[in-house]
Amino acid sequence: MMKKPVVLLLLIFSFRYVLSQHIASKDTSDFIAVKSKVYTNGAVSCAHPLAAEVGANILKKGGNAFDAAIATQLALAVVYPQAGNIGGGGFLTARNKDGKLIALDYREKAPSEATRDMYLDSNGIADTHLSQDGHLSAGVPGSVAGFFAIYKYARLPFKELIQPAIDLARNGFAITAFEAALLNRFKDDFITYNGNNKVSFVKDSLWKAGDLLIQPELAKTLELIRDKGKKGFYEGETAKLIADEMQRGHGIISLKDLKNYEAKDRVPLQFDYEGYKIISFPPPSSGGLLLEQMMKMTALFDLKKLGFHTAASIHVMAEAERRAFADRAKFMGDPDFWKVPDSALINDNYLKQRMRSFDPNKATPSDSIGAGNPYESHQTTHICIADKEGNLVSVTTTLNGLYGSRVVVKGAGFLLNDEMDDFSVKPGVPNMFGAVGGEANAIAPNKRMLSSMCPTLVLRDNRPFMIVGTPGGTTIPTSVFQSIVNVIDFGMGPAEAVNAPKFHHQWLPDEIIMEEGFDDKVINSLNAMNYKIDIVDGIGRNEMILFEKGKLHAVADIRGNDGVDGY
Ligand code: GLY
């Protein structure tokens, strides 16, 4: 078995785990990432301890989970530039203290000048370099519109939510070993896509853990948002800088695209699983639909009896994953442009019929299932927040690839996404990580590209039970699926559920990718069933808050610098 160099280098960096009343990891820079801790009043779990601290401080000073969600995302845009962002987009699933369910879509959209064949040359050959790198790969950013859409549920003055991010950008912060290694790895790209523009991510010598990353231009952009609101980004000086940047690099985002961008309210997706209510995100993310399909197909079997990480349980789950992902490629896209047959896809009889070809002794070949899809970026980021009032927030946000397009808007200091690559640039042509699609996810002006993000909540007896989510491209819904069943079916605590090795099948390529840590006997049994297995470095970085006896047990994945905070 070959070991695939998956994007997550996380385990390469040595973390020291301290087991006491909580688990903590110490990066070589100067902070401790608390990995698992029980809080009484409010908790945040996210990809960077400094951002978790910002969110927790907002909760402590009387903000609610929505306030903290805004402040944490803004802080991540500074301290976690590989995926935290103001130049990308995201999805928020929430339940407020009165039980109202919320699904906010602030996904990027195609610029109005985008065309279906914009990445094809005169011979009809797709140039995915253009959809993945540089100015033309950027969709119209949605994050800032998202913050203001979330703000209607928040309480504190917006300026208090954004100030910690401004301070971190202006004064700098010590970077982790993980960030230092990635900034060094992407140095040439930053130079290629930004020419002579001085960007904060490039310095003459190599970055090392503990170095200060100072981002004065980003601080100024954040101040404009603080002082002028949404218009401080989508109009005026910052919009002009984005339009100038587009002109410099032959991108197509216009002033009008920026001015017209709006976050959208979607109808949260809800379904029952083993007595629990699962709430997740509908299209334009495929995440919630895939989760529902996989969980309903799996519910046809007794997972608990099959046992955790046995060949039999992995087989059932992988076959459900395979079938769900086959549907993704053909049927899922932006619902404002494409009629997603959502109720048919989650119909119990349909899913029963999908599993009729399941053979308990053999993998089902993917070419006998139909349709097509594969890998997307692992670089996205998830935030879970709960407050003492009962508000629950689950947010996944992304630039798509690591540092997105690697284009830093000159004078504005923030990275633009390369989300256009999440469209199907041509039927059957794989995107950056092998994903293929067709008509449902073809490029059209102002259309949102299909996502796999899956910010999820779980209720039991109509009361909060779990907040969960992860980055990981197409592995997102399968990781969330496994983290949930690890708790519900296999009786694990939250840290065990999050940190357990994960596996992933997405129909095409016809293989299971698995993290290290599975029993050799299980691997051999799966091989004997005709599964092709690829061992990879890391799948996802799940964050979770589990409600235990009136307390909040917050967990951050051990696979990264991720941390929790609360009070
Ligand atoms: N760009 C990753 C996703 O939206 O699924």
Side-chain angles (χ1 to χ4, degrees):
M1 284 169 301
M2 285 269 298
K3 188 162 164 169
K4 189 177 272 186
V6 158
V7 185
L8 297 181
L9 301 166
L10 317 167
L11 299 177
I12 297 170
F13 303 101
S14 56
F15 290 95
R16 192 159 55 95
Y17 300 110
V18 183
L19 283 163
S20 56
Q21 72 205 63
H22 59 257
I23 310 169
S25 79
K26 185 162 186 344
D27 194 87
T28 43
S29 57
D30 210 13
F31 63 81
I32 299 260
V34 178
K35 292 292 186 183
S36 171
K37 192 164 177 182
V38 177
Y39 299 99
T40 307
N41 295 301
V44 180
S45 171
C46 73
H48 198 293
L50 288 175
E53 188 183 345
V54 165
N57 285 342
I58 291 292
L59 294 175
K60 283 178 203 165
K61 69 196 273 196
N64 65 21
F66 297 97
D67 289 292
I70 296 166
T72 307
Q73 285 178 89
L74 282 160
L76 283 170
V78 179
V79 300
Y80 195 64
Q82 57 193 269
N85 67 82
I86 56 172
F91 298 114
L92 171 144
T93 308
R95 181 181 191 259
N96 79 0
K97 59 182 179 356
D98 304 320
K100 177 184 158 68
L101 299 181
I102 298 155
L104 273 178
D105 164 359
Y106 44 102
R107 178 72 161 167
E108 302 92 324
K109 63 175 190 172
S112 48
E113 271 184 46
T115 59
R116 183 194 173 90
D117 297 337
M118 62 188 276
Y119 300 112
L120 307 189
D121 67 14
S122 52
N123 296 317
I125 310 287
D127 183 353
T128 48
H129 165 58
L130 292 177
S131 65
Q132 294 169 11
D133 311 299
H135 298 69
L136 203 56
S137 67
V140 184
S143 290
V144 176
F147 304 151
F148 286 96
I150 299 168
Y151 190 60
K152 70 172 181 251
Y153 304 103
R155 172 181 303 141
L156 296 181
F158 192 84
K159 62 179 192 311
E160 288 185 30
L161 308 180
I162 199 169
Q163 197 57 43
I166 295 171
D167 295 342
L168 284 162
R170 194 168 291 296
N171 304 329
F173 64 97
I175 60 169
T176 64
F178 180 43
E179 194 72 58
L182 284 177
L183 288 174
N184 292 334
R185 189 175 129 197
F186 281 87
K187 179 173 181 172
D188 289 348
D189 273 16
F190 289 131
I191 292 169
T192 302
Y193 297 112
N194 297 287
N196 294 329
N197 301 346
K198 182 90 192 100
V199 302
S200 305
F201 305 125
V202 175
K203 65 179 186 116
D204 294 338
S205 56
L206 287 181
W207 289 100
K208 54 185 186 334
D211 283 350
L212 269 195
L213 175 60
I214 302 176
Q215 302 172 77
E217 289 184 345
L218 177 57
K220 198 172 133 235
T221 302
L222 294 171
E223 280 166 351
L224 282 171
I225 298 169
R226 177 194 65 194
D227 298 340
K228 302 191 167 176
K230 191 181 155 197
K231 286 189 178 170
F233 182 86
Y234 289 100
E235 296 178 43
E237 195 177 327
T238 303
K240 170 88 172 44
L241 289 171
I242 297 172
D244 290 349
E245 187 61 57
M246 288 292 115
Q247 217 159 20
R248 208 170 3 258
H250 309 294
I252 55 172
I253 299 174
S254 66
L255 287 172
K256 197 164 131 239
D257 290 332
L258 292 164
K259 193 170 175 195
N260 289 344
Y261 184 88
E262 275 182 359
K264 294 190 178 185
D265 279 305
R266 303 283 181 190
V267 179
L269 190 148
Q270 302 180 55
F271 62 96
D272 295 322
Y273 177 77
E274 317 257 320
Y276 294 80
K277 169 85 67 206
I278 316 281
I279 300 145
S280 195
F281 213 92
S285 186
S286 62
L289 275 180
L290 290 174
L291 186 65
E292 179 163 0
Q293 287 195 303
M294 293 185 294
M295 295 192 85
K296 283 184 164 172
M297 284 189 265
T298 306
L300 301 169
F301 301 81
D302 188 343
L303 262 199
K304 195 172 176 176
K305 197 158 148 213
L306 295 175
F308 172 66
H309 279 186
T310 59
S313 69
I314 293 170
H315 180 39
V316 165
M317 293 167 78
E319 291 302 334
E321 292 174 6
R322 183 201 306 273
R323 285 159 176 78
F325 274 90
D327 283 348
R328 179 194 195 270
K330 184 155 182 200
F331 298 117
M332 300 183 200
D334 181 346
D336 296 338
F337 286 74
W338 174 262
K339 174 84 193 90
V340 181
D342 41 7
S343 37
L345 289 172
I346 53 170
N347 177 280
D348 290 343
N349 287 334
Y350 169 72
L351 294 170
K352 251 186 223 157
Q353 189 240 320
R354 283 294 267 166
M355 283 305 260
R356 217 164 264 159
S357 55
F358 175 81
D359 177 338
N361 302 310
K362 244 199 268 151
T364 315
S366 282
D367 58 13
S368 71
I369 295 289
N373 153 13
Y375 302 108
E376 289 180 47
S377 170
H378 287 241
Q379 291 318 315
T380 291
T381 190
H382 187 79
I383 305 164
C384 300
I385 304 180
D387 65 23
K388 65 178 179 204
E389 297 159 42
N391 297 298
L392 321 176
V393 175
S394 192
V395 176
T396 316
T397 173
T398 189
L399 286 167
N400 197 23
L402 279 161
Y403 306 105
S405 62
R406 278 87 78 220
V407 174
V408 180
V409 177
K410 186 178 179 191
F414 66 90
L415 283 154
L416 285 169
N417 66 83
D418 59 344
E419 213 71 64
M420 289 297 283
D421 197 55
D422 266 352
F423 278 119
S424 168
V425 300
K426 183 183 175 182
V429 171
N431 74 358
M432 118 176 40
F433 295 95
V436 294
E439 200 49 43
N441 191 30
I443 303 172
N446 301 310
K447 184 175 174 183
R448 276 140 150 98
M449 53 297 282
L450 184 64
S451 172
S452 298
M453 296 193 281
C454 194
T456 297
L457 310 171
V458 182
L459 308 179
R460 183 169 57 188
D461 302 326
N462 214 27
R463 297 168 64 84
F465 179 72
M466 181 193 290
I467 307 173
V468 63
T470 184
T474 43
T475 69
I476 291 173
T478 50
S479 287
V480 169
F481 167 43
Q482 288 165 54
S483 289
I484 296 174
V485 300
N486 283 351
V487 174
I488 293 180
D489 294 270
F490 298 124
M492 291 180 191
E496 208 189 343
V498 159
N499 298 324
K502 301 282 190 304
F503 59 90
H504 172 73
H505 199 303
Q506 56 180 40
W507 179 53
L508 292 178
D510 192 350
E511 63 177 12
I512 306 188
I513 61 168
M514 301 178 91
E515 291 186 293
E516 283 179 9
F518 288 84
D519 197 317
D520 281 348
K521 276 197 211 127
V522 170
I523 305 261
N524 291 340
S525 302
L526 291 168
N527 276 325
M529 291 173 176
N530 291 345
Y531 279 107
K532 180 174 174 295
I533 294 172
D534 210 344
I535 303 293
V536 297
D537 280 336
I539 297 178
R541 285 157 74 170
N542 283 246
E543 320 293 2
M544 186 184 285
I545 297 176
L546 198 75
F547 292 76
E548 291 174 337
K549 300 182 190 133
K551 305 257 188 205
L552 310 167
H553 191 162
V555 169
D557 203 311
I558 57 167
R559 294 166 179 85
N561 290 147
D562 312 40
V564 303
D565 205 338
Y567 72 114

